[in-house]
Amino acid sequence: MNRNQIEDLLIRVRDGKLDIDAAIKHLTDLPFKDLGFAKIDNHREIRTGYPEVIFGQGKTPFQIREIVEFLLSRGNNILATRVTPEMFDEVRKISSTAVFHEAARCITIRMREPVYPDTSIAVVTAGTSDLPVAEEAVVTAEILDNKVTKIVDVGVAGIHRLFDKIDEIRKARVVIVIAGMEGALPSVVGGLVDKPVIAVPTSVGYGANFGGITALLGMLTSCASGISVVNIDNGFGAAYLASIINKL
């Protein structure tokens, strides 16, 4: 339940449209629901503005289905990241509106009408190989009710490609920049825009990329101001932060 739903519940009790026993039933699972293998945080949206997101890696398809089924009973939008086709097959048994985003490895189910701010988020990748992380960021930002512009393959090896899109990037309120290899692109973008830049290092690259460590360290030591950095391949974390900034 979010804050508005709780206020509506209390108003209905006050006005005699809902009895106390029924109201207690609605509130029984606050602040969390214990499924045995997971404790679902029903207070998350009240505290942070967004309901709990499911991290699929390490969970079984059955566990994903059970978690999704409970969240659906609460009327929440659903986002599950790092999922498999087998997990989606289980979710489809309980929701015909579930969508599997193959490239992003995400499942979404929209239960509420989106309310978009006037501003937007730009998701920019250095290379096509960074697209899986970018897609995770795009899917996350969209299910959190943000308009998203995706700009792909504008890395420093062909910097003229970035300049061709820079006006479009500057229209966004916050920019997510995703890069592997040496991770140089966020520094370049950070020196060209007056908006916050969220840098995402990826594990894309040959041996000395060290699974994204080289890109991560390069972004952390950027000489451009206004750049924050999230973990390697963490498109979800970047989009979640970008959504908060976009709605300030």
Side-chain angles (χ1 to χ4, degrees), residues 98-144:
V99 178
F100 181 51
H101 306 266
E102 183 176 4
R105 293 182 294 169
C106 291
I107 296 170
T108 57
I109 305 173
R110 183 169 286 281
M111 298 289 288
R112 304 174 188 169
E113 287 297 315
V115 179
Y116 297 113
D118 294 332
T119 51
S120 66
I121 297 169
V123 176
V124 182
T125 77
T128 303
S129 297
D130 301 310
L131 266 176
V133 178
E135 293 294 346
E136 182 180 77
V138 169
V139 169
T140 299
E142 289 180 340
I143 198 67
L144 297 179

Side-chain angles (χ1 to χ4, degrees), residues 213-225:
I213 296 294
T214 297
L216 172 65
L217 295 177
M219 293 173 185
L220 287 170
T221 55
S222 173
C223 63
S225 302

